[in-house]
């Protein structure tokens, strides 16, 4: 989609201030949120209500899931420089991630979430507070390229090696122990989580979003309008609240339709 779709008629307005909300970012976040709700509804049907959807367990389901998490993490990194009170936002998001872990341990221990996407995003937001001054000194294009390269290099870190194309460097198995290893991305044998986003490699995808913002921040005015339905913008503005509520509501609705799964 070209930038002209977002541009208002007449003169292009000045770049928005740091605290300004950009309607297109809210709308895009709302689109990703709807995709996530549909994906989690399908997850409930497959893993809790025993629907036999082979496509969901295969590459198409994986690509759907990855499109959602990549979108959320990139967008969160992109929006980090635009927000106020980063410490408060990071702590609230991290606490929400802890609440998700506690609720799943209590009600669905066999599908417990350890180090889910909210925990990741909260940690990334907090890490950027001390790192921001250093990152500001890096040329945005170089930072974006380095972040993308490190993300690709570490993407299969949980499998015991650094992998880039045909190149593979095995790592010491002593790294792959305990919950600290799992949090960092060195996934121990037998570790299970229904939603798992360790710090590595995903922090570098967050950084890619951050550097993408720095690269285009002089042209952010084109994002001041959202051409799609207002519902998407509303959802995007309240994404954390909706994220926390959507799974219990989905599960309740499916139980009304199909009965409580055994």
């Amino acid at each position: 989609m070209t930038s002209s779709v977002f541009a208002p008629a007449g003169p292009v307005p000045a770049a928005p201030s740091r605290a300004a909300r950009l309607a297109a970012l809210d709308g895009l976040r709302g689109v990703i949120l709807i995709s996530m709700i549909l994906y989690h509804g399908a997850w409930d049907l497959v893993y809790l209500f025993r629907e036999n959807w082979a496509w969901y367990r295969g590459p198409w389901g994986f690509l759907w899931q990855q499109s959602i998490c990549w979108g959320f993490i990139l967008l969160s990194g992109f929006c980090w420089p635009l927000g106020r009170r980063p410490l408060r936002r990071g702590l609230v998001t991290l606490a929400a991630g802890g609440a998700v872990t506690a609720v799943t341990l209590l009600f669905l221990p066999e599908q417990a979430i350890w180090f889910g996407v909210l925990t990741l995003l909260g940690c990334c937001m907090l890490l950027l507070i001390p790192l921001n001054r250093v990152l500001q000194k890096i040329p945005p294009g170089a930072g974006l390229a380095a972040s993308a390269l490190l993300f690709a290099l570490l993407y299969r870190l949980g499998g015991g090696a650094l992998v880039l194309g045909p190149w593979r460097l095995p790592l010491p198995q002593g790294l792959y122990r305990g919950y600290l290893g799992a949090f960092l991305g060195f996934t121990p044998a037998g570790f299970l989580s229904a939603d798992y986003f360790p710090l590595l490699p995903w922090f570098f995808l967050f950084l890619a979003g951050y550097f993408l913002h720095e690269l285009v921040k002089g042209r952010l005015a084109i994002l001041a309008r959202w051409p799609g339905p207002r519902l998407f913008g509303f959802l995007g503005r309240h994404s954390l609240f909706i994220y926390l509520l959507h799974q219990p509501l989905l599960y309740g609705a499916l139980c009304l339709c199909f009965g409580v799964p055994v």
Side-chain angles (χ1 to χ4, degrees), residues 11 92 105 172 254:
V92 167
L105 279 172
L254 291 173

Side-chain angles (χ1 to χ4, degrees), residues 9-10 14 16 29 33 40 46 62 82 89-90 94 99 142 144 146 153 158 163 169 234 242 252 259:
R29 190 181 297 109
L33 191 67
H40 285 166
V46 169
F62 176 75
L82 296 169
R89 288 187 293 122
L94 189 60
L144 177 59
L153 180 64
V163 180
L169 176 64
F234 173 83
I242 294 169

Side-chain angles (χ1 to χ4, degrees), residues 48 99-112 248 251:
L48 300 180
V100 169
T101 297
V103 169
T104 55
L105 279 172
L106 184 61
F107 294 103
L108 288 169
E110 70 282 1
Q111 300 289 349
Y251 182 75

Side-chain angles (χ1 to χ4, degrees), residues 75-140:
L75 193 56
S76 183
F78 187 95
C79 292
W80 190 92
L82 296 169
R84 295 178 294 177
R85 299 190 292 272
L87 178 61
R88 178 179 178 274
R89 288 187 293 122
L91 290 174
V92 167
T93 306
L94 189 60
V100 169
T101 297
V103 169
T104 55
L105 279 172
L106 184 61
F107 294 103
L108 288 169
E110 70 282 1
Q111 300 289 349
I113 292 175
W114 294 98
F115 312 123
V117 69
L118 290 181
T119 300
L120 168 74
L121 292 178
C123 289
C124 291
M125 292 174 189
L126 294 174
L127 282 172
L128 251 63
I129 296 173
L131 291 177
N132 187 43
R133 287 189 179 182
V134 176
L135 296 175
Q136 286 289 317
K137 298 177 181 179
I138 300 174

Side-chain angles (χ1 to χ4, degrees), residues 9-27:
V12 175
S17 68
R18 176 182 173 89
R21 292 201 73 95
L22 295 173
L25 298 179
D26 286 332

Side-chain angles (χ1 to χ4, degrees), residues 160 170-178 180-182 184 186-188:
L171 295 174
Q173 289 306 299
L175 295 171
Y176 293 81
R177 293 179 180 173
L180 177 59
L184 293 175
F186 304 101
T187 314

Side-chain angles (χ1 to χ4, degrees), residues 30-225:
V31 170
I32 300 171
L33 191 67
I34 290 174
S35 180
M36 180 203 69
I37 292 170
L38 293 173
Y39 177 85
H40 285 166
W43 189 95
D44 287 347
L45 287 169
V46 169
Y47 290 102
L48 300 180
F49 291 84
R50 309 302 180 190
E51 291 289 337
N52 187 21
W53 293 351
W55 67 268
Y56 185 84
R57 300 174 186 268
W60 290 112
F62 176 75
L63 287 174
W64 186 10
Q65 185 259 359
Q66 290 291 289
S67 73
I68 296 165
C69 64
W70 281 50
F72 270 133
I73 295 167
L74 270 171
L75 193 56
S76 183
F78 187 95
C79 292
W80 190 92
L82 296 169
R84 295 178 294 177
R85 299 190 292 272
L87 178 61
R88 178 179 178 274
R89 288 187 293 122
L91 290 174
V92 167
T93 306
L94 189 60
V100 169
T101 297
V103 169
T104 55
L105 279 172
L106 184 61
F107 294 103
L108 288 169
E110 70 282 1
Q111 300 289 349
I113 292 175
W114 294 98
F115 312 123
V117 69
L118 290 181
T119 300
L120 168 74
L121 292 178
C123 289
C124 291
M125 292 174 189
L126 294 174
L127 282 172
L128 251 63
I129 296 173
L131 291 177
N132 187 43
R133 287 189 179 182
V134 176
L135 296 175
Q136 286 289 317
K137 298 177 181 179
I138 300 174
L144 177 59
S147 298
L149 178 62
L150 287 167
F151 175 69
L153 180 64
L154 297 169
Y155 186 73
R156 298 182 183 177
L157 184 66
L162 301 179
V163 180
L164 191 62
W167 182 75
R168 188 177 191 275
L169 176 64
L171 295 174
Q173 289 306 299
L175 295 171
Y176 293 81
R177 293 179 180 173
Y179 280 87
L180 177 59
F183 168 70
L184 293 175
F186 304 101
T187 314
F191 175 81
L192 295 175
S193 176
D195 182 44
Y196 178 49
F197 290 91
L199 198 62
L200 302 175
W202 299 101
F203 177 61
F204 289 106
L205 186 61
F206 188 93
L207 276 186
Y210 170 91
F211 282 116
L212 181 60
H213 169 271
E214 296 303 296
L215 194 64
V216 304
K217 65 181 179 182
R219 300 186 291 273
L220 289 182
I222 63 174
L223 301 176
R225 294 178 61 186

